[in-house]
């Protein structure tokens, strides 16, 4: 088939080759409707074989669309983490000449946001703190849209480009700091939802304690990601701190602040009797105790994710697919009398 013929391939040609109606072909190609895998594959194969360009109008002309768009797909909006991610992504996108589009992931499994990404002819996608399904990645790849996963919640498949922080190293730094401050018992307060980054923080914490205080035992108390800790969990912390200095590593800053408030109400002295260190270094309103934490470079991570999308779109071969930016120990009054 000549180049001219390929350019003139129409939706009707694809539909005829696949043995379906033009409306069915259109809906399959735009990822709308619920069709069988066989029907979808037939249409996609026919489009590929004929060289049909989904970026053209029915008459074969290039669609007038602006491709200088990068999508930031978020699991939710609101909160310091999301705020920093949006700022970092927006600043880098603007510097590279892109507009940033925010797309919220919905709970509906039939949500067709990949089709909306394709319809906008976006230049790339950054998935922020979610792990896209294989189907979603396939849909994005089918439209030749490069993607990067920012701080994935779960392990990703080989070949997926991810950007995160050195969570394991951060957990190790938290343990080393608590040991250096003379704490004798240790607790990890974490969400019952064992996300990838939370597991890495716990692993680093345990490994460092095993090296420095081999006889130490780590007790785990459940919380939720927005800072909720049960009454039973708080009571357990109070009991553990009754006859020994207790070092607490919270999976994030929200949980750490909840622990500090509860311990102060229970009459425990922070940091003398109990030391608390968090993770993220999220800004907090004035009035609370300054929190020791592991700083996660969220702003820089989001900027790098956008930069990688740009590189992938330009055909740059990346030397590595799983990139981690370094965390940093920040010591404040919740673990030190400085």
């Amino acid at each position: 088939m000549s180049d001219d013929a390929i350019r003139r391939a129409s939706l009707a040609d694809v539909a005829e080759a696949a043995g379906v109606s033009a409306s069915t072909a259109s809906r399959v190609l735009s990822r709308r409707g619920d069709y069988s895998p066989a029907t979808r594959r037939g249409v996609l194969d026919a489009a590929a074989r004929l060289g049909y360009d989904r970026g053209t109008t029915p008459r074969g002309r290039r669609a007038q669309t602006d491709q200088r768009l990068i999508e930031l797909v978020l699991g939710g909006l609101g909160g310091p983490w999301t705020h920093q991610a949006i700022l970092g992504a927006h600043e880098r996108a603007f510097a590279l000449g892109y507009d940033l589009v925010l797309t919220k992931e919905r709970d509906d499994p039939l949500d067709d946001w990949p089709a909306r990404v394709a319809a906008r002819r976006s230049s790339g996608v950054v998935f922020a703190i979610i792990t896209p399904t294989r189907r979603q990645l396939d849909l994005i790849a089918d439209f030749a849209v490069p993607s990067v996963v920012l701080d994935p919640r779960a392990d990703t498949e080989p070949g997926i480009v991810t950007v995160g922080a050195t969570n394991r190293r951060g957990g190790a730094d938290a343990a080393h700091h608590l040991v250096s401050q003379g704490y004798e018992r240790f607790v990890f307060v974490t969400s019952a939802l064992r996300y990838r980054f939370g597991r890495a923080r716990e692993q680093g914490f345990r490994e460092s304690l095993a090296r420095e205080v081999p006889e130490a035992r780590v007790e785990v108390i459940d919380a939720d990601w927005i800072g909720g800790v049960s009454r039973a969990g708080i009571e357990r912390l109070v009991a553990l701190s009754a006859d020994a200095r207790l070092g607490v590593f919270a999976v994030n800053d929200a949980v750490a602040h909840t622990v500090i408030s509860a311990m102060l109400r229970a009459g425990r002295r922070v940091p003398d009797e109990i030391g608390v260190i968090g993770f993220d270094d999220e800004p907090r309103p004035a009035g609370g105790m300054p929190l020791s934490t592991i700083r996660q470079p969220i702003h820089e991570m989001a900027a790098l994710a956008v930069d990688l999308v740009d590189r992938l779109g330009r055909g740059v071969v990346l030397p590595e697919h799983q990139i981690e930016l370094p965390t940093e120990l920040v010591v404040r009054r919740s673990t030190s009398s400085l």
Side-chain angles (χ1 to χ4, degrees):
M1 181 179 292
S2 68
D3 288 345
D4 188 53
I6 290 175
R7 285 193 296 271
R8 289 199 305 270
S10 68
L11 181 64
D13 296 329
V14 173
E16 181 179 0
V20 299
S21 68
S23 62
T24 295
S26 175
R27 291 177 67 82
V28 168
L29 291 169
S30 63
R31 292 300 183 265
R32 293 179 290 117
D34 186 15
Y35 295 99
S36 69
T39 298
R40 289 186 180 278
R41 180 47 52 198
V43 172
L44 293 174
D45 285 348
R49 187 169 62 253
L50 294 173
Y52 176 70
D53 185 350
R54 275 160 282 181
T56 63
T57 67
R59 296 181 182 274
R61 296 189 299 269
R62 290 294 304 173
Q64 298 299 310
T65 54
D66 180 5
Q67 296 189 42
R68 301 298 291 179
L69 296 176
I70 288 181
E71 307 267 345
L72 179 62
V73 182
L74 295 154
L77 296 174
W81 193 100
T82 301
H83 179 68
Q84 287 297 312
I86 293 173
L87 282 179
H90 176 265
E91 288 176 8
R92 187 57 181 155
F94 182 80
L96 292 171
Y98 295 96
D99 287 323
L100 186 73
V101 176
L102 300 183
T103 301
K104 186 178 182 297
E105 185 185 45
R106 296 172 181 155
D107 294 331
D108 182 1
L110 299 179
D111 178 29
D112 64 345
W113 64 258
R116 298 198 302 274
V117 171
R120 285 191 284 265
R121 305 287 291 169
S122 298
S123 303
V125 180
V126 174
F127 302 96
I129 212 167
I130 62 175
T131 303
T133 65
R134 180 72 263 173
R135 174 181 174 275
Q136 290 170 336
L137 287 170
D138 285 345
L139 293 177
I140 293 299
D142 190 55
F143 284 94
V145 177
S147 62
V148 172
V149 182
L150 174 62
D151 218 7
R153 287 178 175 173
D155 292 330
T156 55
E157 299 181 20
I160 303 300
V161 179
T162 66
V163 175
T166 53
N167 290 286
R168 186 172 168 183
R169 177 70 258 173
D173 288 343
H176 177 75
H177 174 64
L178 291 174
V179 170
S180 73
Q181 296 302 303
Y183 294 103
E184 303 160 312
R185 287 182 177 172
F186 303 94
V187 173
F188 181 54
V189 186
T190 187
S191 169
L193 294 172
R194 297 293 198 262
Y195 293 135
R196 174 178 178 268
F197 34 80
R199 295 196 306 270
R201 293 168 194 177
E202 180 178 4
Q203 183 180 16
F205 187 66
R206 289 182 179 277
E207 289 173 347
S208 181
L209 282 177
R211 288 191 301 269
E212 299 192 40
V213 191
E215 70 278 10
R217 175 174 172 267
V218 179
E219 183 151 346
V220 176
I221 291 177
D222 285 339
D224 62 46
W225 279 98
I226 61 174
V229 182
S230 69
R231 180 184 297 273
I234 296 300
E235 290 175 350
R236 183 59 181 157
L237 287 169
V238 171
L240 287 169
S241 62
D243 58 359
R245 297 189 73 218
L246 183 65
V248 177
F249 176 35
V251 72
N252 63 29
D253 288 351
V255 173
H257 282 290
T258 297
V259 169
I260 291 174
S261 296
M263 291 301 98
L264 292 174
R265 287 196 302 271
R268 290 291 185 261
R269 290 176 296 145
V270 180
D272 297 332
E273 295 175 315
I274 179 169
V276 183
I277 184 169
F279 202 108
D280 285 337
D281 198 23
E282 295 180 343
R284 297 283 293 190
M289 174 173 286
L291 176 67
S292 292
T293 189
I294 304 297
R295 179 181 182 271
Q296 181 176 205
I298 301 166
H299 186 282
E300 295 88 342
M301 289 157 52
L304 177 59
V306 169
D307 191 65
L308 293 175
V309 163
D310 173 67
R311 292 187 220 173
L312 290 169
R314 291 185 286 107
V316 176
V317 177
L318 303 180
E320 55 182 326
H321 284 176
Q322 294 187 330
I323 302 169
E324 292 185 337
L325 297 187
T327 53
E328 176 189 359
L329 171 67
V330 180
V331 179
R332 299 190 181 105
R333 280 182 50 206
S334 66
T335 59
S336 174
S337 299
L338 294 176

Coordinates of all heavy atoms in Angstrom, one line a residue, residues 169-215:
R169 N 15.4 3.7 52.6 CA 16.5 4.5 53.2 C 15.9 5.4 54.3 O 16.5 5.6 55.4 CB 17.2 5.3 52.1 CG 18.4 6.2 52.6 CD 19.6 5.4 53.1 NE 19.6 5.3 54.6 CZ 20.5 4.6 55.2 NH1 21.4 3.8 54.6 NH2 20.5 4.5 56.5
G170 N 14.8 6.0 54.0 CA 14.2 6.9 54.9 C 13.8 6.2 56.2 O 14.0 6.7 57.3
G171 N 13.2 5.0 56.1 CA 12.9 4.2 57.3 C 14.1 3.9 58.1 O 14.1 3.9 59.3
A172 N 15.2 3.6 57.4 CA 16.5 3.3 58.1 C 17.0 4.5 58.9 O 17.5 4.4 60.0 CB 17.5 2.8 57.1
D173 N 16.9 5.7 58.2 CA 17.3 6.9 58.9 C 16.5 7.2 60.1 O 17.0 7.7 61.1 CB 17.3 8.1 57.9 CG 18.3 8.0 56.8 OD1 19.3 7.2 57.0 OD2 18.2 8.7 55.8
A174 N 15.2 6.9 60.0 CA 14.3 7.1 61.2 C 14.7 6.3 62.4 O 14.8 6.7 63.5 CB 12.9 6.9 60.8
A175 N 15.0 5.0 62.1 CA 15.5 4.1 63.1 C 16.8 4.5 63.7 O 16.9 4.6 65.0 CB 15.6 2.7 62.6
H176 N 17.7 4.9 62.9 CA 19.0 5.3 63.4 C 18.9 6.5 64.3 O 19.6 6.6 65.4 CB 20.0 5.6 62.2 CG 21.3 6.1 62.6 ND1 22.3 5.3 63.2 CD2 21.8 7.4 62.6 CE1 23.4 6.1 63.5 NE2 23.1 7.3 63.1
H177 N 18.1 7.5 63.9 CA 17.9 8.7 64.7 C 17.3 8.4 66.1 O 17.7 8.9 67.1 CB 17.0 9.7 63.9 CG 16.6 10.9 64.7 ND1 17.6 11.8 65.2 CD2 15.4 11.3 65.2 CE1 17.0 12.7 65.9 NE2 15.7 12.5 65.9
L178 N 16.2 7.5 66.1 CA 15.6 7.2 67.4 C 16.6 6.5 68.3 O 16.6 6.7 69.5 CB 14.4 6.3 67.1 CG 13.2 7.0 66.5 CD1 12.1 6.0 66.1 CD2 12.6 8.2 67.3
V179 N 17.4 5.6 67.7 CA 18.4 4.9 68.5 C 19.4 5.9 69.1 O 19.8 5.9 70.3 CB 19.1 3.8 67.7 CG1 20.3 3.3 68.5 CG2 18.1 2.7 67.4
S180 N 19.8 6.8 68.3 CA 20.8 7.8 68.7 C 20.3 8.7 69.8 O 21.1 9.3 70.5 CB 21.3 8.7 67.5 OG 20.3 9.6 67.1
Q181 N 19.0 8.9 69.9 CA 18.4 9.7 70.9 C 18.1 9.0 72.2 O 17.5 9.5 73.1 CB 17.1 10.4 70.4 CG 17.3 11.3 69.2 CD 18.3 12.5 69.6 OE1 18.0 13.2 70.5 NE2 19.4 12.6 68.8
G182 N 18.5 7.7 72.2 CA 18.4 6.9 73.4 C 17.0 6.3 73.7 O 16.8 5.8 74.8
Y183 N 16.2 6.1 72.7 CA 14.9 5.4 72.9 C 15.2 3.9 72.9 O 16.1 3.4 72.3 CB 14.0 5.8 71.8 CG 13.6 7.2 71.8 CD1 14.1 8.2 70.9 CD2 12.7 7.7 72.8 CE1 13.8 9.5 71.0 CE2 12.4 9.0 72.9 CZ 12.9 9.9 72.0 OH 12.6 11.3 72.1
E184 N 14.4 3.2 73.8 CA 14.7 1.8 74.1 C 13.7 0.8 73.5 O 14.0 -0.3 73.3 CB 14.7 1.7 75.6 CG 15.7 2.6 76.3 CD 15.4 2.8 77.8 OE1 14.3 3.1 78.1 OE2 16.4 2.7 78.5
R185 N 12.4 1.3 73.3 CA 11.4 0.4 72.7 C 11.0 1.1 71.4 O 11.1 2.4 71.3 CB 10.2 0.3 73.6 CG 10.5 -0.7 74.8 CD 9.2 -0.8 75.6 NE 9.4 -1.8 76.7 CZ 8.5 -2.0 77.7 NH1 7.3 -1.3 77.7 NH2 8.7 -2.9 78.6
F186 N 10.5 0.3 70.5 CA 10.2 0.9 69.2 C 8.8 0.4 68.6 O 8.5 -0.7 68.8 CB 11.3 0.6 68.2 CG 12.7 1.0 68.7 CD1 13.5 0.2 69.4 CD2 13.1 2.3 68.5 CE1 14.7 0.6 69.9 CE2 14.3 2.8 69.0 CZ 15.1 1.9 69.7
V187 N 8.1 1.4 68.0 CA 6.8 1.1 67.4 C 6.8 1.7 66.0 O 7.3 2.8 65.8 CB 5.7 1.7 68.3 CG1 4.3 1.6 67.6 CG2 5.6 1.1 69.6
F188 N 6.2 1.0 65.1 CA 5.9 1.5 63.8 C 4.4 1.6 63.7 O 3.6 0.6 63.8 CB 6.4 0.5 62.7 CG 6.2 1.0 61.3 CD1 6.6 2.3 60.9 CD2 5.6 0.2 60.3 CE1 6.4 2.7 59.6 CE2 5.4 0.6 59.0 CZ 5.8 1.9 58.6
V189 N 3.9 2.8 63.5 CA 2.4 3.1 63.3 C 2.1 3.3 61.8 O 2.6 4.2 61.2 CB 2.0 4.3 64.1 CG1 0.5 4.4 64.1 CG2 2.5 4.2 65.6
T190 N 1.3 2.4 61.3 CA 1.2 2.3 59.8 C -0.3 2.0 59.5 O -1.1 1.5 60.3 CB 2.1 1.3 59.2 OG1 2.0 1.4 57.8 CG2 1.7 -0.1 59.6
S191 N -0.6 2.2 58.2 CA -2.0 1.9 57.7 C -2.1 0.4 57.5 O -1.2 -0.3 57.1 CB -2.2 2.6 56.4 OG -3.4 2.1 55.8
A192 N -3.3 -0.1 57.8 CA -3.6 -1.5 57.5 C -3.5 -1.8 56.0 O -3.3 -2.9 55.6 CB -5.0 -1.9 58.0
L193 N -3.6 -0.7 55.2 CA -3.4 -0.8 53.7 C -1.9 -0.8 53.5 O -1.3 0.3 53.6 CB -4.1 0.3 53.0 CG -5.6 0.3 53.0 CD1 -6.2 1.6 52.4 CD2 -6.2 -0.9 52.3
R194 N -1.3 -1.9 53.2 CA 0.1 -2.0 53.1 C 0.6 -1.6 51.7 O 0.9 -2.4 50.8 CB 0.6 -3.4 53.4 CG 0.4 -3.8 54.9 CD 1.1 -2.9 55.9 NE 1.2 -3.6 57.2 CZ 0.4 -3.3 58.2 NH1 -0.5 -2.4 58.1 NH2 0.6 -3.9 59.4
Y195 N 0.6 -0.2 51.5 CA 1.0 0.2 50.2 C 2.5 0.0 50.0 O 3.3 -0.2 51.0 CB 0.8 1.7 50.0 CG -0.7 2.1 50.0 CD1 -1.2 3.2 50.7 CD2 -1.6 1.4 49.2 CE1 -2.6 3.5 50.6 CE2 -2.9 1.7 49.1 CZ -3.4 2.8 49.8 OH -4.7 3.1 49.7
R196 N 3.0 0.0 48.8 CA 4.4 -0.3 48.4 C 5.3 0.6 49.2 O 6.3 0.1 49.8 CB 4.6 -0.1 46.9 CG 6.0 -0.2 46.4 CD 6.0 -0.1 44.9 NE 7.3 -0.1 44.3 CZ 8.1 0.9 44.1 NH1 7.6 2.1 44.5 NH2 9.2 0.8 43.5
F197 N 5.1 1.9 49.3 CA 6.0 2.8 49.9 C 6.0 2.6 51.4 O 7.0 2.8 52.1 CB 5.7 4.3 49.5 CG 4.3 4.6 49.3 CD1 3.4 4.9 50.4 CD2 3.8 4.7 48.0 CE1 2.1 5.2 50.2 CE2 2.5 5.0 47.8 CZ 1.6 5.3 48.9
G198 N 4.8 2.3 52.0 CA 4.7 2.0 53.4 C 5.5 0.7 53.8 O 6.2 0.7 54.8
R199 N 5.4 -0.3 53.0 CA 6.2 -1.5 53.2 C 7.7 -1.2 53.2 O 8.4 -1.8 54.0 CB 5.8 -2.6 52.2 CG 4.4 -3.1 52.3 CD 4.2 -4.4 51.5 NE 4.7 -4.3 50.1 CZ 3.9 -4.0 49.1 NH1 2.6 -3.6 49.3 NH2 4.4 -3.9 47.9
A200 N 8.1 -0.4 52.2 CA 9.5 -0.1 52.1 C 10.0 0.7 53.4 O 11.1 0.4 53.9 CB 9.8 0.7 50.9
R201 N 9.2 1.6 53.9 CA 9.6 2.4 55.1 C 9.7 1.4 56.3 O 10.7 1.5 57.1 CB 8.5 3.4 55.4 CG 8.5 4.5 54.3 CD 7.3 5.4 54.4 NE 7.1 6.2 53.1 CZ 6.1 7.0 52.9 NH1 5.2 7.2 53.8 NH2 6.1 7.7 51.7
E202 N 8.8 0.5 56.4 CA 8.8 -0.5 57.5 C 10.1 -1.4 57.4 O 10.7 -1.6 58.4 CB 7.6 -1.3 57.6 CG 7.6 -2.3 58.7 CD 6.3 -3.1 58.8 OE1 5.4 -2.9 57.9 OE2 6.2 -3.9 59.7
Q203 N 10.3 -1.8 56.2 CA 11.5 -2.7 55.9 C 12.8 -2.0 56.3 O 13.6 -2.6 57.0 CB 11.5 -3.1 54.5 CG 12.7 -4.1 54.2 CD 12.7 -4.5 52.7 OE1 12.1 -3.9 51.9 NE2 13.4 -5.6 52.4
G204 N 13.0 -0.8 55.9 CA 14.2 0.0 56.2 C 14.3 0.2 57.7 O 15.4 0.1 58.3
F205 N 13.2 0.5 58.4 CA 13.2 0.7 59.8 C 13.6 -0.5 60.6 O 14.5 -0.5 61.5 CB 11.7 1.1 60.2 CG 11.6 1.5 61.7 CD1 12.2 2.7 62.1 CD2 10.8 0.8 62.5 CE1 12.0 3.1 63.5 CE2 10.6 1.2 63.9 CZ 11.3 2.3 64.3
R206 N 13.0 -1.7 60.2 CA 13.3 -2.9 60.9 C 14.8 -3.3 60.6 O 15.5 -3.8 61.5 CB 12.4 -4.0 60.4 CG 11.0 -3.9 60.9 CD 10.1 -5.1 60.4 NE 8.7 -5.0 60.9 CZ 8.3 -5.4 62.1 NH1 9.2 -5.9 62.9 NH2 7.1 -5.3 62.4
E207 N 15.2 -3.2 59.4 CA 16.6 -3.6 59.1 C 17.6 -2.8 59.8 O 18.6 -3.3 60.3 CB 16.9 -3.5 57.6 CG 16.1 -4.5 56.7 CD 16.2 -4.2 55.2 OE1 16.7 -3.1 54.8 OE2 15.9 -5.1 54.4
S208 N 17.4 -1.5 59.9 CA 18.4 -0.6 60.7 C 18.4 -1.0 62.2 O 19.4 -1.1 62.8 CB 18.0 0.8 60.5 OG 18.9 1.7 61.1
L209 N 17.2 -1.2 62.7 CA 17.1 -1.6 64.2 C 17.8 -2.9 64.4 O 18.5 -3.1 65.4 CB 15.7 -1.6 64.6 CG 15.0 -0.3 64.9 CD1 13.5 -0.5 65.3 CD2 15.7 0.5 66.0
A210 N 17.6 -3.9 63.5 CA 18.2 -5.2 63.7 C 19.8 -5.1 63.7 O 20.4 -5.9 64.4 CB 17.8 -6.1 62.5
R211 N 20.3 -4.1 62.9 CA 21.8 -3.9 62.9 C 22.2 -3.2 64.2 O 23.3 -3.6 64.8 CB 22.2 -3.1 61.7 CG 22.1 -3.9 60.4 CD 22.8 -3.1 59.3 NE 22.2 -1.7 59.1 CZ 21.2 -1.5 58.2 NH1 20.7 -2.5 57.5 NH2 20.8 -0.2 58.1
E212 N 21.5 -2.2 64.6 CA 22.0 -1.3 65.7 C 21.6 -1.8 67.1 O 22.3 -1.7 68.1 CB 21.5 0.1 65.5 CG 22.0 0.7 64.2 CD 21.8 2.2 64.1 OE1 21.9 2.9 65.2 OE2 21.4 2.7 63.0
V213 N 20.4 -2.4 67.2 CA 19.9 -2.9 68.5 C 19.3 -4.3 68.2 O 18.0 -4.5 68.1 CB 18.8 -2.0 69.1 CG1 18.5 -2.4 70.5 CG2 19.2 -0.5 69.0
P214 N 20.1 -5.3 68.1 CA 19.7 -6.7 67.7 C 18.5 -7.2 68.5 O 17.7 -8.0 68.1 CB 20.9 -7.5 67.7 CG 22.0 -6.6 67.6 CD 21.6 -5.3 68.2
E215 N 18.5 -6.9 69.8 CA 17.5 -7.4 70.7 C 16.2 -6.6 70.7 O 15.2 -7.0 71.3 CB 18.1 -7.4 72.2 CG 18.2 -6.0 72.8 CD 19.5 -5.3 72.4 OE1 20.2 -5.8 71.5 OE2 19.8 -4.2 73.0

